[in-house]
Amino acid sequence: MAEKSVPTRTVTGRALAVLDTFDAKHRRQSLASIARRAELPLTTVHRLVHELENQNALVRGSDGDYEIGSKIWRLGLLASVHSELREVALPYMEDVYQLHNDAVQIAVLDGLRCLIVERIAGSRTLEVISKPGSRLALHATGVGKVLLAHGDAELQKAVLNSLDRFTEQTITDPGILETQLKTIKVQGFAKTQEELAEGAVSIAVPLRGKGGNVIAALGIVAPSDGRDLGKLVPVMQVTGAALSRKLVEAGLGDAARLQAGS
Amino acid sequence: MAEKSVPTRTVTGRALAVLDTFDAKHRRQSLASIARRAELPLTTVHRLVHELENQNALVRGSDGDYEIGSKIWRLGLLASVHSELREVALPYMEDVYQLHNDAVQIAVLDGLRCLIVERIAGSRTLEVISKPGSRLALHATGVGKVLLAHGDAELQKAVLNSLDRFTEQTITDPGILETQLKTIKVQGFAKTQEELAEGAVSIAVPLRGKGGNVIAALGIVAPSDGRDLGKLVPVMQVTGAALSRKLVEAGLGDAARLQAGS
DNA sequence: TCAGAAACTTCCATCACATGAAACTTTAGT
DNA sequence: ACTAAAGTTTCATGTGATGGAAGTTTCTGA
């Protein structure tokens, strides 16, 4: 189930561990910072980083800090989560966005979290917790709950055993969440009420691929201003179904190609 | 100076060589294909690929083919060529695009080629030779000529010594190109006339960072339908200058952070 | 201005881990 | 059914990764 910082004993693993120290909060790092975060000896990191730099996997700024280089960027654009799903889904997301200008997003499963693949939002949207590339908790987001509800037993078990709290409303009781998941599976949509961040509510529906497997989730996030998001459920479900059909047509119905973790 | 398929003697190098076999033309590959293209023994590739798959750097589709995975994608989004340059430049590119709906693009230097960072184009634009992530020849594109004209002597020498021909009009004479480069540097813009592809002409101007260093190029590509692109030169220069100022403000004026290979 | 620390770099003796040939299994093609 | 190609597993060998130690450079603060 990954997620553990398995102290890989292979060189490739170490190299990836080095790259993995980079995230939205650490886009530029010093050598020492990389070493600390990767939990590897400074000398080893020093060598690896140099190698990665020579190959343009990392770039070194004039201040000595490293950041992700053009090679990784170029390769990343080839991922089908990026170009394909994005291309097919954007028009549909745009439609939903037009309704009330609420943030619209699509997510896939990535290990024990959900990975935001694409997102449309106005500039005046609340706090931006999620943007493409973010990985959020499965139990506190609409899209996450949908993916979790349709996930296998192993995944559910792993997630239910470690429910982090984010707000007053976050569901941390495995029993309650389990019941919700069952409802979500039956009703075909999930909702959250300020469970990840105060003032934000969401609705999400599954996107299905070949054979009806859930391969992604489509969600809408809005400020909790008393408006009844429930009214949007039918629209979301219709859009979700239409998009699902398109995804299968486009040959993206294969979960293995979109999803990530085991 | 890279570019050569230096058969790296390091593990990290081999792993990157494996990843490097993926490009727009080879987004999904079998194990054997990867091995052939990386020029590595099948067994070795087999092991590396497995490792990369475990770390989600690669994903294996149900048909056995591999493709770039979510980890690389996620990391790629952190590259500043992507998020920062893109974010700052898009509004300006949009403005230029509105003029005649010609394709607009921004490129940076990447080794001996120019790397297309962002591109706006209508759906009815000619053939799409370039899209984000593409690497084109420096001597046959507008943006490439700009970057080359402002590049250092070492770069110019390397490029001038291997001028591939793409069309009837491609400049393959080092002397002629060298003269053009000098003119470009003085006049502040470059143009091409069907030098990379028949039927396409382009204009490009430099984008300058801190201290006036050229860090990228802004270009426009149009069908060669008799229209006089020359009239657009002033607009491009003004836009380029404005965008340059914004880039410096945004702290992106540091060439080392944008450019890639030496 | 200087001392001390932290970040970075170089060196190299040791051995862990990558290597790839060979043999075997599975999948496609006719 | 037969053949070829793709994919997988195994393992003896030694190459190239390792990381402690020591040296250099760059910060920090007084």
Side-chain angles (χ1 to χ4, degrees):
Chain A
M1 297 274 63
E3 207 64 21
K4 286 292 176 60
S5 63
V6 185
T8 321
R9 300 274 85 230
T10 72
V11 182
T12 317
R14 286 177 226 247
L16 286 172
V18 163
L19 291 176
D20 238 4
T21 61
F22 290 85
D23 60 33
K25 280 268 159 50
H26 301 83
R27 290 178 39 162
R28 320 199 69 230
Q29 297 183 88
S30 66
L31 183 61
S33 160
I34 297 173
R36 268 192 306 272
R37 287 166 51 79
E39 295 177 23
L40 289 171
L42 186 68
T43 323
T44 303
V45 172
H46 183 253
R47 188 168 14 87
L48 287 174
V49 155
H50 268 297
E51 213 133 358
L52 292 169
E53 191 193 355
N54 285 334
Q55 312 272 344
N56 282 321
L58 291 178
V59 208
R60 184 162 210 188
S62 50
D63 60 353
D65 279 9
Y66 292 91
E67 86 183 277
I68 298 295
S70 65
K71 168 165 288 173
I72 300 284
W73 173 68
R74 193 148 29 80
L75 289 170
L77 295 182
L78 298 173
S80 58
V81 266
H82 183 72
S83 47
E84 301 183 27
L85 181 55
R86 181 188 146 95
E87 199 170 304
V88 177
L90 266 178
Y92 290 83
M93 295 174 67
E94 195 66 56
D95 290 346
V96 175
Y97 179 67
Q98 296 302 336
L99 291 179
H100 296 95
N101 288 39
D102 296 317
V104 182
Q105 54 192 18
I106 281 188
V108 299
L109 203 56
D110 183 25
L112 298 182
R113 333 203 97 199
C114 63
L115 176 63
I116 305 297
V117 174
E118 191 55 70
R119 178 181 165 97
I120 301 184
S123 47
R124 57 187 185 67
T125 318
L126 320 155
E127 354 72 271
V128 194
I129 325 177
S130 63
K131 54 181 192 171
S134 307
R135 292 155 83 208
L136 307 175
L138 286 174
H139 68 287
T141 55
V143 283
K145 281 188 190 174
V146 167
L147 293 171
L148 187 54
H150 292 87
D152 58 29
E154 196 186 2
L155 172 71
Q156 294 197 0
K157 193 173 150 205
V159 172
L160 286 170
N161 280 329
S162 63
L163 299 174
D164 291 338
R165 171 173 297 284
F166 302 103
T167 70
E168 199 60 36
Q169 318 298 326
T170 308
I171 298 171
T172 55
D173 180 322
I176 296 180
L177 183 55
E178 205 169 359
T179 312
Q180 251 194 38
L181 294 180
K182 283 186 186 131
T183 314
I184 290 168
K185 212 164 171 181
V186 175
Q187 297 189 154
F189 74 93
K191 63 163 50 174
T192 62
Q193 306 267 6
E194 312 195 314
E195 290 161 37
L196 180 63
E198 314 276 358
V201 298
S202 72
I203 294 278
V205 297
L207 295 176
R208 295 168 186 279
K210 263 197 301 264
N213 300 321
V214 173
I215 55 173
L218 171 70
I220 188 168
V221 185
S224 51
D225 52 8
R227 201 158 30 106
D228 181 16
L229 264 198
K231 284 190 302 191
L232 287 177
V233 169
V235 189
M236 292 297 284
Q237 287 184 315
V238 171
T239 309
L243 179 47
S244 294
R245 238 172 289 122
K246 266 284 183 206
L247 289 174
V248 175
E249 275 175 35
L252 279 169
D254 182 354
R257 294 194 38 207
L258 291 180
Q259 300 187 8
S262 75
Chain B
M1 299 273 66
E3 209 64 22
K4 287 292 178 57
S5 62
V6 186
T8 323
R9 293 262 57 86
T10 72
V11 183
T12 317
R14 285 177 227 248
L16 286 173
V18 163
L19 291 177
D20 237 3
T21 61
F22 290 85
D23 60 33
K25 280 268 159 49
H26 302 83
R27 290 177 40 162
R28 321 199 68 231
Q29 299 183 85
S30 65
L31 182 61
S33 160
I34 297 174
R36 268 193 306 273
R37 288 165 51 80
E39 295 178 23
L40 289 171
L42 186 68
T43 324
T44 301
V45 172
H46 183 254
R47 186 168 16 86
L48 287 174
V49 155
H50 267 298
E51 213 133 0
L52 292 169
E53 191 193 354
N54 285 333
Q55 311 272 346
N56 282 321
L58 291 178
V59 208
R60 185 163 208 187
S62 51
D63 60 352
D65 279 9
Y66 293 92
E67 85 182 278
I68 298 295
S70 65
K71 169 167 287 172
I72 301 284
W73 173 69
R74 192 149 29 83
L75 289 170
L77 295 183
L78 298 173
S80 58
V81 267
H82 183 74
S83 47
E84 300 182 27
L85 181 54
R86 180 187 146 97
E87 199 170 305
V88 177
L90 266 178
Y92 291 83
M93 295 174 67
E94 195 65 57
D95 290 347
V96 176
Y97 179 68
Q98 296 303 336
L99 292 179
H100 297 94
N101 287 41
D102 296 317
V104 183
Q105 54 193 17
I106 281 187
V108 299
L109 204 56
D110 182 25
L112 297 181
R113 331 203 100 199
C114 64
L115 176 63
I116 306 298
V117 174
E118 192 54 69
R119 179 181 165 97
I120 300 184
S123 48
R124 56 187 187 67
T125 319
L126 321 155
E127 355 72 272
V128 193
I129 326 177
S130 64
K131 54 181 192 170
S134 306
R135 293 156 81 208
L136 308 175
L138 286 174
H139 68 287
T141 55
V143 283
K145 282 188 189 173
V146 167
L147 294 171
L148 186 54
H150 293 87
D152 57 30
E154 196 187 3
L155 172 71
Q156 294 196 0
K157 193 173 152 204
V159 172
L160 286 170
N161 280 329
S162 64
L163 299 174
D164 290 338
R165 171 173 297 285
F166 302 102
T167 70
E168 199 60 35
Q169 319 297 327
T170 307
I171 299 171
T172 54
D173 181 322
I176 297 180
L177 183 56
E178 204 168 0
T179 312
Q180 252 195 36
L181 294 180
K182 283 187 187 129
T183 313
I184 290 168
K185 212 162 170 181
V186 175
Q187 296 188 155
F189 74 92
K191 63 162 51 172
T192 62
Q193 305 267 8
E194 310 195 317
E195 290 161 36
L196 180 63
E198 313 277 358
V201 299
S202 73
I203 294 278
V205 296
L207 295 177
R208 294 167 187 281
K210 263 196 302 262
N213 300 321
V214 173
I215 56 171
L218 171 71
I220 187 169
V221 184
S224 51
D225 52 8
R227 207 162 19 114
D228 181 15
L229 264 198
K231 285 189 301 190
L232 287 177
V233 170
V235 189
M236 292 297 283
Q237 287 183 315
V238 170
T239 309
L243 178 47
S244 295
R245 239 171 289 124
K246 267 283 184 207
L247 289 174
V248 175
E249 276 175 35
L252 278 169
D254 182 355
R257 293 195 36 209
L258 290 180
Q259 300 187 8
S262 75

